Amino acid sequence: MRIGHGYDVHRLKQGRKCILCGVEIPSELGPDGHSDADVPVHALMDALLGALALGDIGAHFPPSDNKWKDASSIELLKTVYKLVKSNGYSLVNADITIVLESPRLFEHIQKMREKLAETLKTDLNAISVKATTEEKLGFTGDGSGISATAVVLLEPL
């Protein structure tokens, strides 16, 4: 079995879509980045790649390559998971934490879990998504950014 950990952070920007775990969240601010900047999916991809020592998403999808401009992170996740499978592993479970002051994500968590389970072709009970704030502390607390962590467990096929 292999364990991987991922982390991602992006600034929040006025007028950007707020896409988290493949779900568009109503918000005036959204993560700014080269792709759709889906922060929790980026953390999840890094966890999957890290579990197998396959580098990080920047190595696989460099922001310097316009091919990835405005790319769907869910589509990138599908590519990463195919790589995981081609290396002889499959997902046991994933645990994701999103750190964001606003908007509140509670009502969107189930849909996020469903989107990730569908994308990874796994059971819903293998996907955990949680959201928290940092009580107005730091860049996430002051509303200027969003971060996410992800931990995965992989098993041989």
mmCIF file with all atom_site columns, all heavy atoms in Angstrom, residues 32-54:
data_model
loop_
_atom_site.group_PDB
_atom_site.id
_atom_site.type_symbol
_atom_site.label_atom_id
_atom_site.label_alt_id
_atom_site.label_comp_id
_atom_site.label_asym_id
_atom_site.label_entity_id
_atom_site.label_seq_id
_atom_site.pdbx_PDB_ins_code
_atom_site.Cartn_x
_atom_site.Cartn_y
_atom_site.Cartn_z
_atom_site.occupancy
_atom_site.B_iso_or_equiv
_atom_site.pdbx_formal_charge
_atom_site.auth_seq_id
_atom_site.auth_comp_id
_atom_site.auth_asym_id
_atom_site.auth_atom_id
_atom_site.pdbx_PDB_model_num
ATOM 1   N N   . ASP A 1 32 ? -7.574  31.904 -8.585  1.00 0.00 ? 32 ASP A N   1
ATOM 2   C CA  . ASP A 1 32 ? -6.890  32.390 -9.778  1.00 0.00 ? 32 ASP A CA  1
ATOM 3   C C   . ASP A 1 32 ? -5.767  31.426 -10.136 1.00 0.00 ? 32 ASP A C   1
ATOM 4   O O   . ASP A 1 32 ? -5.004  31.013 -9.263  1.00 0.00 ? 32 ASP A O   1
ATOM 5   C CB  . ASP A 1 32 ? -6.315  33.785 -9.516  1.00 0.00 ? 32 ASP A CB  1
ATOM 6   C CG  . ASP A 1 32 ? -5.839  34.473 -10.776 1.00 0.00 ? 32 ASP A CG  1
ATOM 7   O OD1 . ASP A 1 32 ? -6.292  34.103 -11.879 1.00 0.00 ? 32 ASP A OD1 1
ATOM 8   O OD2 . ASP A 1 32 ? -5.006  35.390 -10.654 1.00 0.00 ? 32 ASP A OD2 1
ATOM 9   N N   . GLY A 1 33 ? -5.690  31.043 -11.403 1.00 0.00 ? 33 GLY A N   1
ATOM 10  C CA  . GLY A 1 33 ? -4.630  30.152 -11.837 1.00 0.00 ? 33 GLY A CA  1
ATOM 11  C C   . GLY A 1 33 ? -4.647  29.939 -13.325 1.00 0.00 ? 33 GLY A C   1
ATOM 12  O O   . GLY A 1 33 ? -5.514  30.456 -14.031 1.00 0.00 ? 33 GLY A O   1
ATOM 13  N N   . HIS A 1 34 ? -3.690  29.168 -13.795 1.00 0.00 ? 34 HIS A N   1
ATOM 14  C CA  . HIS A 1 34 ? -3.537  28.902 -15.222 1.00 0.00 ? 34 HIS A CA  1
ATOM 15  C C   . HIS A 1 34 ? -4.684  28.024 -15.739 1.00 0.00 ? 34 HIS A C   1
ATOM 16  O O   . HIS A 1 34 ? -5.241  28.268 -16.786 1.00 0.00 ? 34 HIS A O   1
ATOM 17  C CB  . HIS A 1 34 ? -2.186  28.234 -15.477 1.00 0.00 ? 34 HIS A CB  1
ATOM 18  C CG  . HIS A 1 34 ? -1.846  28.090 -16.928 1.00 0.00 ? 34 HIS A CG  1
ATOM 19  N ND1 . HIS A 1 34 ? -1.567  29.178 -17.734 1.00 0.00 ? 34 HIS A ND1 1
ATOM 20  C CD2 . HIS A 1 34 ? -1.749  27.002 -17.716 1.00 0.00 ? 34 HIS A CD2 1
ATOM 21  C CE1 . HIS A 1 34 ? -1.312  28.751 -18.955 1.00 0.00 ? 34 HIS A CE1 1
ATOM 22  N NE2 . HIS A 1 34 ? -1.413  27.437 -18.983 1.00 0.00 ? 34 HIS A NE2 1
ATOM 23  N N   . SER A 1 35 ? -5.019  26.996 -14.958 1.00 0.00 ? 35 SER A N   1
ATOM 24  C CA  . SER A 1 35 ? -6.151  26.122 -15.316 1.00 0.00 ? 35 SER A CA  1
ATOM 25  C C   . SER A 1 35 ? -7.404  26.707 -14.673 1.00 0.00 ? 35 SER A C   1
ATOM 26  O O   . SER A 1 35 ? -7.449  27.892 -14.371 1.00 0.00 ? 35 SER A O   1
ATOM 27  C CB  . SER A 1 35 ? -5.892  24.701 -14.801 1.00 0.00 ? 35 SER A CB  1
ATOM 28  O OG  . SER A 1 35 ? -5.912  24.698 -13.379 1.00 0.00 ? 35 SER A OG  1
ATOM 29  N N   . ASP A 1 36 ? -8.401  25.868 -14.392 1.00 0.00 ? 36 ASP A N   1
ATOM 30  C CA  . ASP A 1 36 ? -9.576  26.357 -13.667 1.00 0.00 ? 36 ASP A CA  1
ATOM 31  C C   . ASP A 1 36 ? -9.285  26.575 -12.184 1.00 0.00 ? 36 ASP A C   1
ATOM 32  O O   . ASP A 1 36 ? -10.122 27.049 -11.446 1.00 0.00 ? 36 ASP A O   1
ATOM 33  C CB  . ASP A 1 36 ? -10.782 25.438 -13.875 1.00 0.00 ? 36 ASP A CB  1
ATOM 34  C CG  . ASP A 1 36 ? -10.586 24.047 -13.302 1.00 0.00 ? 36 ASP A CG  1
ATOM 35  O OD1 . ASP A 1 36 ? -9.569  23.770 -12.623 1.00 0.00 ? 36 ASP A OD1 1
ATOM 36  O OD2 . ASP A 1 36 ? -11.462 23.193 -13.541 1.00 0.00 ? 36 ASP A OD2 1
ATOM 37  N N   . ALA A 1 37 ? -8.066  26.225 -11.752 1.00 0.00 ? 37 ALA A N   1
ATOM 38  C CA  . ALA A 1 37 ? -7.576  26.481 -10.388 1.00 0.00 ? 37 ALA A CA  1
ATOM 39  C C   . ALA A 1 37 ? -8.413  25.796 -9.309  1.00 0.00 ? 37 ALA A C   1
ATOM 40  O O   . ALA A 1 37 ? -8.627  26.337 -8.234  1.00 0.00 ? 37 ALA A O   1
ATOM 41  C CB  . ALA A 1 37 ? -7.445  27.979 -10.132 1.00 0.00 ? 37 ALA A CB  1
ATOM 42  N N   . ASP A 1 38 ? -8.859  24.584 -9.593  1.00 0.00 ? 38 ASP A N   1
ATOM 43  C CA  . ASP A 1 38 ? -9.645  23.794 -8.642  1.00 0.00 ? 38 ASP A CA  1
ATOM 44  C C   . ASP A 1 38 ? -8.698  23.275 -7.557  1.00 0.00 ? 38 ASP A C   1
ATOM 45  O O   . ASP A 1 38 ? -8.108  22.200 -7.668  1.00 0.00 ? 38 ASP A O   1
ATOM 46  C CB  . ASP A 1 38 ? -10.326 22.648 -9.403  1.00 0.00 ? 38 ASP A CB  1
ATOM 47  C CG  . ASP A 1 38 ? -11.335 21.886 -8.576  1.00 0.00 ? 38 ASP A CG  1
ATOM 48  O OD1 . ASP A 1 38 ? -11.183 21.837 -7.337  1.00 0.00 ? 38 ASP A OD1 1
ATOM 49  O OD2 . ASP A 1 38 ? -12.260 21.306 -9.178  1.00 0.00 ? 38 ASP A OD2 1
ATOM 50  N N   . VAL A 1 39 ? -8.542  24.054 -6.513  1.00 0.00 ? 39 VAL A N   1
ATOM 51  C CA  . VAL A 1 39 ? -7.530  23.825 -5.486  1.00 0.00 ? 39 VAL A CA  1
ATOM 52  C C   . VAL A 1 39 ? -7.611  22.430 -4.854  1.00 0.00 ? 39 VAL A C   1
ATOM 53  O O   . VAL A 1 39 ? -6.588  21.739 -4.761  1.00 0.00 ? 39 VAL A O   1
ATOM 54  C CB  . VAL A 1 39 ? -7.582  24.945 -4.420  1.00 0.00 ? 39 VAL A CB  1
ATOM 55  C CG1 . VAL A 1 39 ? -6.604  24.692 -3.295  1.00 0.00 ? 39 VAL A CG1 1
ATOM 56  C CG2 . VAL A 1 39 ? -7.303  26.296 -5.073  1.00 0.00 ? 39 VAL A CG2 1
ATOM 57  N N   . PRO A 1 40 ? -8.773  21.958 -4.401  1.00 0.00 ? 40 PRO A N   1
ATOM 58  C CA  . PRO A 1 40 ? -8.793  20.620 -3.790  1.00 0.00 ? 40 PRO A CA  1
ATOM 59  C C   . PRO A 1 40 ? -8.449  19.509 -4.782  1.00 0.00 ? 40 PRO A C   1
ATOM 60  O O   . PRO A 1 40 ? -7.813  18.511 -4.402  1.00 0.00 ? 40 PRO A O   1
ATOM 61  C CB  . PRO A 1 40 ? -10.208 20.471 -3.235  1.00 0.00 ? 40 PRO A CB  1
ATOM 62  C CG  . PRO A 1 40 ? -11.006 21.553 -3.870  1.00 0.00 ? 40 PRO A CG  1
ATOM 63  C CD  . PRO A 1 40 ? -10.065 22.633 -4.268  1.00 0.00 ? 40 PRO A CD  1
ATOM 64  N N   . VAL A 1 41 ? -8.819  19.657 -6.044  1.00 0.00 ? 41 VAL A N   1
ATOM 65  C CA  . VAL A 1 41 ? -8.463  18.644 -7.041  1.00 0.00 ? 41 VAL A CA  1
ATOM 66  C C   . VAL A 1 41 ? -6.958  18.680 -7.293  1.00 0.00 ? 41 VAL A C   1
ATOM 67  O O   . VAL A 1 41 ? -6.326  17.639 -7.456  1.00 0.00 ? 41 VAL A O   1
ATOM 68  C CB  . VAL A 1 41 ? -9.278  18.805 -8.337  1.00 0.00 ? 41 VAL A CB  1
ATOM 69  C CG1 . VAL A 1 41 ? -8.743  17.893 -9.440  1.00 0.00 ? 41 VAL A CG1 1
ATOM 70  C CG2 . VAL A 1 41 ? -10.740 18.490 -8.072  1.00 0.00 ? 41 VAL A CG2 1
ATOM 71  N N   . HIS A 1 42 ? -6.352  19.868 -7.273  1.00 0.00 ? 42 HIS A N   1
ATOM 72  C CA  . HIS A 1 42 ? -4.899  19.953 -7.428  1.00 0.00 ? 42 HIS A CA  1
ATOM 73  C C   . HIS A 1 42 ? -4.197  19.243 -6.274  1.00 0.00 ? 42 HIS A C   1
ATOM 74  O O   . HIS A 1 42 ? -3.221  18.508 -6.483  1.00 0.00 ? 42 HIS A O   1
ATOM 75  C CB  . HIS A 1 42 ? -4.449  21.410 -7.507  1.00 0.00 ? 42 HIS A CB  1
ATOM 76  C CG  . HIS A 1 42 ? -4.872  22.092 -8.761  1.00 0.00 ? 42 HIS A CG  1
ATOM 77  N ND1 . HIS A 1 42 ? -4.433  23.347 -9.109  1.00 0.00 ? 42 HIS A ND1 1
ATOM 78  C CD2 . HIS A 1 42 ? -5.702  21.706 -9.763  1.00 0.00 ? 42 HIS A CD2 1
ATOM 79  C CE1 . HIS A 1 42 ? -4.963  23.702 -10.267 1.00 0.00 ? 42 HIS A CE1 1
ATOM 80  N NE2 . HIS A 1 42 ? -5.752  22.721 -10.673 1.00 0.00 ? 42 HIS A NE2 1
ATOM 81  N N   . ALA A 1 43 ? -4.687  19.450 -5.051  1.00 0.00 ? 43 ALA A N   1
ATOM 82  C CA  . ALA A 1 43 ? -4.105  18.759 -3.896  1.00 0.00 ? 43 ALA A CA  1
ATOM 83  C C   . ALA A 1 43 ? -4.283  17.248 -4.038  1.00 0.00 ? 43 ALA A C   1
ATOM 84  O O   . ALA A 1 43 ? -3.356  16.474 -3.747  1.00 0.00 ? 43 ALA A O   1
ATOM 85  C CB  . ALA A 1 43 ? -4.755  19.258 -2.606  1.00 0.00 ? 43 ALA A CB  1
ATOM 86  N N   . LEU A 1 44 ? -5.445  16.818 -4.504  1.00 0.00 ? 44 LEU A N   1
ATOM 87  C CA  . LEU A 1 44 ? -5.704  15.394 -4.698  1.00 0.00 ? 44 LEU A CA  1
ATOM 88  C C   . LEU A 1 44 ? -4.769  14.798 -5.746  1.00 0.00 ? 44 LEU A C   1
ATOM 89  O O   . LEU A 1 44 ? -4.211  13.711 -5.548  1.00 0.00 ? 44 LEU A O   1
ATOM 90  C CB  . LEU A 1 44 ? -7.169  15.183 -5.096  1.00 0.00 ? 44 LEU A CB  1
ATOM 91  C CG  . LEU A 1 44 ? -7.615  13.759 -5.409  1.00 0.00 ? 44 LEU A CG  1
ATOM 92  C CD1 . LEU A 1 44 ? -7.362  12.822 -4.225  1.00 0.00 ? 44 LEU A CD1 1
ATOM 93  C CD2 . LEU A 1 44 ? -9.086  13.754 -5.811  1.00 0.00 ? 44 LEU A CD2 1
ATOM 94  N N   . MET A 1 45 ? -4.573  15.501 -6.854  1.00 0.00 ? 45 MET A N   1
ATOM 95  C CA  . MET A 1 45 ? -3.659  14.994 -7.890  1.00 0.00 ? 45 MET A CA  1
ATOM 96  C C   . MET A 1 45 ? -2.237  14.880 -7.348  1.00 0.00 ? 45 MET A C   1
ATOM 97  O O   . MET A 1 45 ? -1.551  13.886 -7.606  1.00 0.00 ? 45 MET A O   1
ATOM 98  C CB  . MET A 1 45 ? -3.690  15.903 -9.123  1.00 0.00 ? 45 MET A CB  1
ATOM 99  C CG  . MET A 1 45 ? -4.963  15.778 -9.922  1.00 0.00 ? 45 MET A CG  1
ATOM 100 S SD  . MET A 1 45 ? -4.899  16.663 -11.507 1.00 0.00 ? 45 MET A SD  1
ATOM 101 C CE  . MET A 1 45 ? -4.941  18.361 -10.982 1.00 0.00 ? 45 MET A CE  1
ATOM 102 N N   . ASP A 1 46 ? -1.794  15.876 -6.584  1.00 0.00 ? 46 ASP A N   1
ATOM 103 C CA  . ASP A 1 46 ? -0.449  15.805 -6.010  1.00 0.00 ? 46 ASP A CA  1
ATOM 104 C C   . ASP A 1 46 ? -0.332  14.641 -5.022  1.00 0.00 ? 46 ASP A C   1
ATOM 105 O O   . ASP A 1 46 ? 0.712   13.987 -4.948  1.00 0.00 ? 46 ASP A O   1
ATOM 106 C CB  . ASP A 1 46 ? -0.071  17.119 -5.338  1.00 0.00 ? 46 ASP A CB  1
ATOM 107 C CG  . ASP A 1 46 ? 0.627   18.074 -6.286  1.00 0.00 ? 46 ASP A CG  1
ATOM 108 O OD1 . ASP A 1 46 ? 1.051   17.650 -7.385  1.00 0.00 ? 46 ASP A OD1 1
ATOM 109 O OD2 . ASP A 1 46 ? 0.768   19.263 -5.930  1.00 0.00 ? 46 ASP A OD2 1
ATOM 110 N N   . ALA A 1 47 ? -1.397  14.361 -4.278  1.00 0.00 ? 47 ALA A N   1
ATOM 111 C CA  . ALA A 1 47 ? -1.369  13.221 -3.357  1.00 0.00 ? 47 ALA A CA  1
ATOM 112 C C   . ALA A 1 47 ? -1.258  11.907 -4.128  1.00 0.00 ? 47 ALA A C   1
ATOM 113 O O   . ALA A 1 47 ? -0.479  11.027 -3.762  1.00 0.00 ? 47 ALA A O   1
ATOM 114 C CB  . ALA A 1 47 ? -2.618  13.226 -2.479  1.00 0.00 ? 47 ALA A CB  1
ATOM 115 N N   . LEU A 1 48 ? -2.028  11.777 -5.208  1.00 0.00 ? 48 LEU A N   1
ATOM 116 C CA  . LEU A 1 48 ? -1.975  10.558 -6.025  1.00 0.00 ? 48 LEU A CA  1
ATOM 117 C C   . LEU A 1 48 ? -0.591  10.377 -6.639  1.00 0.00 ? 48 LEU A C   1
ATOM 118 O O   . LEU A 1 48 ? -0.018  9.276  -6.593  1.00 0.00 ? 48 LEU A O   1
ATOM 119 C CB  . LEU A 1 48 ? -3.038  10.608 -7.123  1.00 0.00 ? 48 LEU A CB  1
ATOM 120 C CG  . LEU A 1 48 ? -4.486  10.479 -6.663  1.00 0.00 ? 48 LEU A CG  1
ATOM 121 C CD1 . LEU A 1 48 ? -5.443  10.920 -7.773  1.00 0.00 ? 48 LEU A CD1 1
ATOM 122 C CD2 . LEU A 1 48 ? -4.794  9.063  -6.201  1.00 0.00 ? 48 LEU A CD2 1
ATOM 123 N N   . LEU A 1 49 ? -0.049  11.444 -7.204  1.00 0.00 ? 49 LEU A N   1
ATOM 124 C CA  . LEU A 1 49 ? 1.284   11.370 -7.813  1.00 0.00 ? 49 LEU A CA  1
ATOM 125 C C   . LEU A 1 49 ? 2.356   11.107 -6.754  1.00 0.00 ? 49 LEU A C   1
ATOM 126 O O   . LEU A 1 49 ? 3.264   10.295 -6.958  1.00 0.00 ? 49 LEU A O   1
ATOM 127 C CB  . LEU A 1 49 ? 1.587   12.665 -8.573  1.00 0.00 ? 49 LEU A CB  1
ATOM 128 C CG  . LEU A 1 49 ? 0.745   12.912 -9.818  1.00 0.00 ? 49 LEU A CG  1
ATOM 129 C CD1 . LEU A 1 49 ? 0.888   14.362 -10.279 1.00 0.00 ? 49 LEU A CD1 1
ATOM 130 C CD2 . LEU A 1 49 ? 1.114   11.949 -10.935 1.00 0.00 ? 49 LEU A CD2 1
ATOM 131 N N   . GLY A 1 50 ? 2.235   11.782 -5.621  1.00 0.00 ? 50 GLY A N   1
ATOM 132 C CA  . GLY A 1 50 ? 3.213   11.621 -4.547  1.00 0.00 ? 50 GLY A CA  1
ATOM 133 C C   . GLY A 1 50 ? 3.247   10.221 -3.974  1.00 0.00 ? 50 GLY A C   1
ATOM 134 O O   . GLY A 1 50 ? 4.317   9.717  -3.611  1.00 0.00 ? 50 GLY A O   1
ATOM 135 N N   . ALA A 1 51 ? 2.099   9.581  -3.888  1.00 0.00 ? 51 ALA A N   1
ATOM 136 C CA  . ALA A 1 51 ? 2.042   8.214  -3.346  1.00 0.00 ? 51 ALA A CA  1
ATOM 137 C C   . ALA A 1 51 ? 2.919   7.258  -4.146  1.00 0.00 ? 51 ALA A C   1
ATOM 138 O O   . ALA A 1 51 ? 3.440   6.293  -3.608  1.00 0.00 ? 51 ALA A O   1
ATOM 139 C CB  . ALA A 1 51 ? 0.598   7.723  -3.318  1.00 0.00 ? 51 ALA A CB  1
ATOM 140 N N   . LEU A 1 52 ? 3.076   7.545  -5.432  1.00 0.00 ? 52 LEU A N   1
ATOM 141 C CA  . LEU A 1 52 ? 3.866   6.658  -6.298  1.00 0.00 ? 52 LEU A CA  1
ATOM 142 C C   . LEU A 1 52 ? 5.178   7.306  -6.742  1.00 0.00 ? 52 LEU A C   1
ATOM 143 O O   . LEU A 1 52 ? 5.839   6.804  -7.662  1.00 0.00 ? 52 LEU A O   1
ATOM 144 C CB  . LEU A 1 52 ? 3.027   6.254  -7.519  1.00 0.00 ? 52 LEU A CB  1
ATOM 145 C CG  . LEU A 1 52 ? 1.767   5.457  -7.189  1.00 0.00 ? 52 LEU A CG  1
ATOM 146 C CD1 . LEU A 1 52 ? 0.969   5.182  -8.450  1.00 0.00 ? 52 LEU A CD1 1
ATOM 147 C CD2 . LEU A 1 52 ? 2.110   4.160  -6.466  1.00 0.00 ? 52 LEU A CD2 1
ATOM 148 N N   . ALA A 1 53 ? 5.551   8.413  -6.089  1.00 0.00 ? 53 ALA A N   1
ATOM 149 C CA  . ALA A 1 53 ? 6.798   9.128  -6.398  1.00 0.00 ? 53 ALA A CA  1
ATOM 150 C C   . ALA A 1 53 ? 6.874   9.496  -7.884  1.00 0.00 ? 53 ALA A C   1
ATOM 151 O O   . ALA A 1 53 ? 7.906   9.334  -8.523  1.00 0.00 ? 53 ALA A O   1
ATOM 152 C CB  . ALA A 1 53 ? 8.016   8.319  -5.965  1.00 0.00 ? 53 ALA A CB  1
ATOM 153 N N   . LEU A 1 54 ? 5.757   10.015 -8.411  1.00 0.00 ? 54 LEU A N   1
ATOM 154 C CA  . LEU A 1 54 ? 5.676   10.380 -9.832  1.00 0.00 ? 54 LEU A CA  1
ATOM 155 C C   . LEU A 1 54 ? 5.740   11.888 -10.057 1.00 0.00 ? 54 LEU A C   1
ATOM 156 O O   . LEU A 1 54 ? 5.285   12.386 -11.078 1.00 0.00 ? 54 LEU A O   1
ATOM 157 C CB  . LEU A 1 54 ? 4.383   9.810  -10.443 1.00 0.00 ? 54 LEU A CB  1
ATOM 158 C CG  . LEU A 1 54 ? 4.265   8.294  -10.456 1.00 0.00 ? 54 LEU A CG  1
ATOM 159 C CD1 . LEU A 1 54 ? 2.877   7.863  -10.928 1.00 0.00 ? 54 LEU A CD1 1
ATOM 160 C CD2 . LEU A 1 54 ? 5.342   7.686  -11.341 1.00 0.00 ? 54 LEU A CD2 1
#
